[in-house]
Amino acid sequence: MKQILMVFVGFCLTYLGIAQDAFQYQQPPKLMADMLLAKPTPAVSFDDKANWMLLSERNSYPTVEELGQPEARIAGMRINPNNFSLSRQTFINNFKLRKVNQENELQVKGLPATLLASSVSWSPSQTKIAFLQNNADAVDLYVIDVATQTAKKINKRPLNTLMGGAYSWLDDNTLIYKTTLQPASAAPKRPITPMGPSIQENYGKAAPIRTYQDLMKTPYDEQLFSFMATVQLVMNKNGVETNIGKPNIYTTISPSPDKQYLMIRTLRKPFSYLVPAQLFASTVSIIDLTGKELKKLADLPSGEGSPSGFDNVQNVPRSFDWRDDEAATITWCMPLDSGMIAKKVEFHDAVYALKAPFQGEATELFKTTMRFRGVSWGTSQLALVMEGLTGKQVARMHRFNPSTGSLEMLMQRNTTDAYNNPGSPVTTKNQFGRQVLMLVDNGTKLLMNNTTGSSPNGDLPFLAKFDLQTKQQEIIWRCSPGQFEFISDVVDANTMTFISRKETQTSTPNYFMKDLLKKIADRPITKFTNPYPQLEGITKEKIKYKRADGVDLTGDLYLPKGYNAAKDGPLPVFMWAYPREFNSAADAAQVRGSKDRFTNISWGSPIFWVTQGYAVLDNAEMPIVATSSDKKPNDNFIEQLKLNAEAAVQKLVDLGVGDKNRMA
């Protein structure tokens, strides 16, 4: 009996082995596979004068070798421990350069045999381009000479890009970057026996906190994080590497406009098991280019102590940044309400400044009645101050005069009111190479660019002039109906010369030179072709419908090529949606998106299935609206989610295109 059992078990194992060998990766239909693997159109980047353009090509998806790299999950990050970088990145696989007024593309020479590039950045004079090369065992820094179209590796020690901000240009021949201290093989080994228990203490009070993935769990995680994240700051000038200060864990390295100082943020222990690395306790300081500390600005506590609730902040300085219109002035914000927005005070935040050499007391610049959101610097007489409240979905823009300290409100709007979004101020480079406000019409108006341009007729991007005296905005150009076009680059504001990106349902996005003064026909710069011919003939329509309580909704309906509802009957449906919160039903009902956009396919897109006989309702609006002034939108989340879904299902049934019993 024992022998028979052994034979039977052996037979089963043999059979399972054969069956396992017989299985192979299953493939989708060829039509879907071809779309999945189609090479996307290149990303395009122009220099400031629109003389040169960089074409960055990438594959649709990473290779198995890329996905097979090791991965450690600690401190809220996913790390490749072999090369001191983040895992799961999207890489550029080729670079080409082209003069804007010529058609021939020039292949960049000197690139690594297997290019896995990221973090592309033009030099201050736009004559060079830097990028990171992510090898299996190291990250290198390359620089492309635009004139010769040649790339060259410039670092001698491998870079450490784990905490972001891997490098910065100081001038055309000088870069600052972070390097590794030891090879990956020197990483601490996970002990077989734990060093001790993992302990978390509860101090007897409620402390709501966001949920994060991949956090620290053990003392070994702390050891590994310290090893992986500690770097040496290096300055590379004409190929010569010089250390700046001592090794540390840097999260921020920001050069001053005059390139004489660095604002740094470094992490310090104890590390938190409740928040990711970017929220660990830290120190913010100003150092010179040798690493000497000139001013400690703040010792910041761990983010796990942040109070819960919209617009509540820790009672510590925040938003450290350089003033772009001055050589070396650091600014920051401090709450005036102990960080609690419900506190009844006239002003909730104050913004301060401290000039080089960073001695003495800071100067108060202005106070805000809401939470400070940032400054766009312009001149010694003009800056734009943003403030707002997330909980109330409201934002304000003020005109600030740095010379007098006066603060004047220019506009207030609901952040969910897409129709009245003025866009963003267009910027230009100043003498320090920093982006500052661009003024037109003898300094009386701002140029505002809205690359979305939501309207009752769908998204129609626009360019406008905002008059600083009348506080009125005049649209000087708007996308024509039947296409989707936005201004991507300002070539010359005086001659009103721009580069735009234009697309339709059937034409791939391409770039054009646009002259608003001469009003001549747009000159095409690129001629990219459709990477998805499989989608030709499908129909796309923005449908409108109401939910039971009267809120207007929209969605993008895709139907298969040649489909006829009367003849073919209702189809199975994929519906793709994500809920958003609104305090205003009117804002929730606004039309978002454009039926005239070209359909681009990403790995997670449901649109693949329209080629297989499904109807697809993409971007189905799912607003969650506050039902009264004393209610939060999510107070009846599930009920409103049902209203949204039922309205979408019923609309598809009424159109005759959707089978109510076959919807996902």
Side-chain angles (χ1 to χ4, degrees):
M1 182 70 178
K2 185 176 181 181
Q3 286 179 326
I4 294 174
L5 181 60
M6 289 176 67
V7 170
F8 177 72
V9 171
F11 169 77
C12 289
L13 292 174
T14 304
Y15 176 79
L16 287 172
I18 294 171
Q20 194 70 21
D21 289 342
F23 279 114
Q24 295 185 5
Y25 289 113
Q26 297 185 55
Q27 298 292 324
K30 184 178 185 303
L31 198 67
M32 294 177 69
D34 289 346
M35 293 168 60
L36 189 77
L37 299 175
K39 202 170 183 67
T41 55
V44 180
S45 174
F46 298 90
D47 68 15
D48 289 341
K49 295 181 181 178
N51 291 326
W52 285 93
M53 57 190 288
L54 177 70
L55 304 171
S56 302
E57 300 177 357
R58 62 180 177 85
N59 296 325
S60 299
Y61 300 97
T63 64
V64 174
E65 288 77 13
E66 290 174 52
L67 293 175
Q69 293 298 309
E71 185 177 70
R73 300 185 179 190
I74 48 173
M77 298 183 293
R78 298 184 178 186
I79 299 167
N80 182 340
N82 282 2
N83 68 359
F84 297 87
S85 74
L86 295 177
S87 59
R88 307 192 187 194
Q89 299 184 57
T90 299
F91 297 119
I92 296 164
N93 305 113
N94 192 27
F95 287 117
K96 293 179 181 178
L97 281 161
R98 209 193 94 187
K99 285 198 170 182
V100 171
N101 59 1
Q102 298 178 5
E103 292 194 3
N104 57 312
E105 296 176 356
L106 305 170
Q107 175 63 51
V108 174
K109 304 178 289 291
L111 297 174
T114 301
L115 182 66
L116 297 172
S118 61
S119 302
V120 181
S121 174
W122 292 79
S123 70
S125 72
Q126 314 270 288
T127 59
K128 297 177 182 179
I129 303 168
F131 68 89
L132 298 177
Q133 164 63 10
N134 297 262
N135 304 305
D137 58 355
V139 177
D140 292 319
L141 182 60
Y142 278 71
V143 171
I144 301 171
D145 182 271
V146 174
T148 63
Q149 304 92 53
T150 303
K152 182 181 179 182
K153 175 187 164 185
I154 69 162
N155 62 297
K156 294 179 175 59
R157 287 174 272 178
L159 271 68
N160 184 318
T161 66
L162 195 59
M163 299 301 295
Y167 72 90
S168 298
W169 287 99
L170 281 191
D171 57 48
D172 286 342
N173 300 308
T174 311
L175 293 108
I176 289 178
Y177 47 85
K178 297 181 282 188
T179 65
T180 61
L181 299 180
Q182 301 179 68
S185 59
K189 306 301 179 186
R190 184 182 295 275
I192 297 175
T193 304
M195 290 179 276
S198 296
I199 299 172
Q200 295 188 38
E201 296 185 50
N202 186 299
Y203 293 102
K205 61 180 181 179
I209 195 167
R210 291 179 182 272
T211 302
Y212 298 101
Q213 298 182 72
D214 307 322
L215 299 179
M216 286 188 175
K217 297 180 178 66
T218 67
Y220 170 73
D221 288 347
E222 297 187 50
Q223 276 189 314
L224 184 60
F225 174 75
S226 290
F227 174 83
M228 296 297 302
T230 303
V231 303
Q232 175 62 57
L233 201 56
V234 166
M235 180 166 61
N236 184 317
K237 188 174 184 65
N238 293 317
V240 178
E241 290 184 340
T242 305
N243 288 352
I244 299 176
K246 296 179 180 179
N248 215 323
I249 302 177
Y250 295 90
T251 62
T252 300
I253 303 163
S254 176
S256 60
D258 65 0
K259 311 299 191 295
Q260 298 302 306
Y261 309 99
L262 300 174
M263 178 188 68
I264 60 169
R265 179 172 168 243
T266 55
L267 302 187
R268 66 178 194 275
K269 293 182 177 181
F271 299 142
S272 172
Y273 286 30
L274 294 177
V275 294
Q278 294 293 344
L279 295 177
F280 286 177
S282 62
T283 299
V284 181
S285 303
I286 304 293
I287 63 174
D288 64 18
L289 297 184
T290 70
K292 178 183 177 182
E293 184 178 84
L294 304 177
K295 178 73 174 181
K296 180 190 286 189
L297 295 171
D299 281 324
L300 303 176
S302 166
E304 65 185 63
S306 298
S308 62
F310 285 132
D311 303 303
N312 291 329
V313 297
Q314 288 183 297
N315 191 28
V316 296
R318 68 182 197 277
S319 302
F320 292 92
D321 203 358
W322 293 105
R323 185 170 157 174
D324 295 313
D325 63 330
E326 292 191 345
T329 299
I330 198 74
T331 64
W332 66 90
C333 170
M334 187 71 190
L336 300 175
D337 53 12
S338 302
M340 306 306 292
I341 198 67
K343 190 172 183 178
K344 301 298 182 182
V345 293
E346 183 179 2
F347 299 102
H348 286 275
D349 282 336
V351 174
Y352 300 89
L354 185 63
K355 293 177 181 284
F358 315 109
Q359 303 299 318
E361 295 298 316
T363 302
E364 182 185 290
L365 296 180
F366 55 83
K367 297 175 182 175
T368 59
T369 56
M370 300 180 181
R371 280 285 174 248
F372 170 68
R373 295 287 186 245
V375 182
S376 295
W377 298 99
T379 67
S380 59
Q381 283 80 42
L382 175 66
L384 296 181
V385 172
M386 313 298 175
E387 64 172 344
L389 292 174
T390 301
K392 293 187 176 180
Q393 298 180 338
V394 64
R396 288 175 181 168
M397 181 172 77
H398 300 267
R399 176 180 184 170
F400 173 59
N401 187 328
S403 298
T404 64
S406 65
L407 198 67
E408 176 188 10
M409 190 169 76
L410 295 176
M411 67 172 65
Q412 176 175 311
R413 72 178 191 91
N414 195 317
T415 54
T416 59
D417 179 4
Y419 292 174
N420 288 303
N421 185 342
S424 301
V426 176
T427 60
T428 186
K429 284 185 178 178
N430 63 6
Q431 71 271 30
F432 303 115
R434 307 284 280 215
Q435 295 291 338
V436 294
L437 296 171
M438 176 183 287
L439 295 170
V440 295
D441 294 355
N442 297 317
T444 62
K445 298 175 183 176
L446 296 169
L447 203 57
M448 304 289 286
N449 189 15
N450 190 320
T451 57
T452 303
S454 298
S455 78
N457 297 317
D459 289 352
L460 297 170
F462 62 81
L463 192 70
K465 290 181 179 180
F466 184 89
D467 192 305
L468 291 165
Q469 298 302 320
T470 66
K471 304 178 185 178
Q472 298 298 310
Q473 185 154 289
E474 173 197 3
I475 294 178
I476 59 175
W477 170 84
R478 187 155 206 164
C479 168
S480 302
Q483 60 187 5
F484 182 84
E485 181 182 17
F486 65 88
I487 301 300
S488 68
D489 294 82
V490 176
V491 179
D492 191 329
N494 294 319
T495 62
M496 288 285 124
T497 308
F498 307 94
I499 293 174
S500 72
R501 184 178 181 272
K502 188 186 307 185
E503 62 193 278
T504 69
Q505 266 196 40
T506 57
S507 60
T508 310
N510 273 290
Y511 290 84
F512 296 80
M513 191 67 72
K514 180 179 289 290
D515 192 317
L516 297 188
L517 285 185
K518 294 181 181 178
K519 298 182 179 179
I520 56 178
D522 295 348
R523 177 171 67 85
I525 297 174
T526 60
K527 297 179 181 178
F528 300 135
T529 56
N530 184 0
Y532 312 114
Q534 300 85 353
L535 292 179
E536 291 177 1
I538 70 162
T539 61
K540 176 185 177 183
E541 176 189 4
K542 183 165 283 293
I543 60 172
K544 300 179 181 181
Y545 48 101
K546 286 182 183 289
R547 71 185 197 186
D549 60 357
V551 175
D552 290 312
L553 304 173
T554 63
D556 297 325
L557 177 63
Y558 294 83
L559 296 172
K561 180 179 180 179
Y563 170 73
N564 183 296
K567 183 179 70 174
D568 301 323
L571 301 173
V573 178
F574 271 121
M575 194 182 303
W576 195 263
Y578 196 86
R580 291 181 58 200
E581 297 178 28
F582 293 87
N583 286 335
S584 162
D587 289 353
Q590 291 182 350
V591 178
R592 290 170 175 83
S594 168
K595 66 178 177 59
D596 299 310
R597 299 210 69 167
F598 181 78
T599 300
N600 279 301
I601 306 291
S602 67
W603 65 269
S605 173
I607 298 169
F608 286 106
W609 296 97
V610 77
T611 67
Q612 303 302 305
Y614 291 81
V616 175
L617 184 63
D618 197 21
N619 300 318
E621 292 287 350
M622 292 273 171
I624 309 298
V625 186
T627 53
S628 64
S629 59
D630 61 339
K631 294 278 188 180
K632 298 293 184 184
N634 284 335
D635 286 351
N636 57 347
F637 178 88
I638 293 176
E639 293 85 350
Q640 293 200 51
L641 207 60
K642 287 181 179 179
L643 288 175
N644 294 322
E646 289 167 352
V649 169
Q650 192 58 49
K651 178 64 176 180
L652 296 176
V653 171
D654 292 344
L655 290 173
V657 302
D659 183 341
K660 191 171 187 177
N661 298 313
R662 294 188 294 165
M663 294 196 179

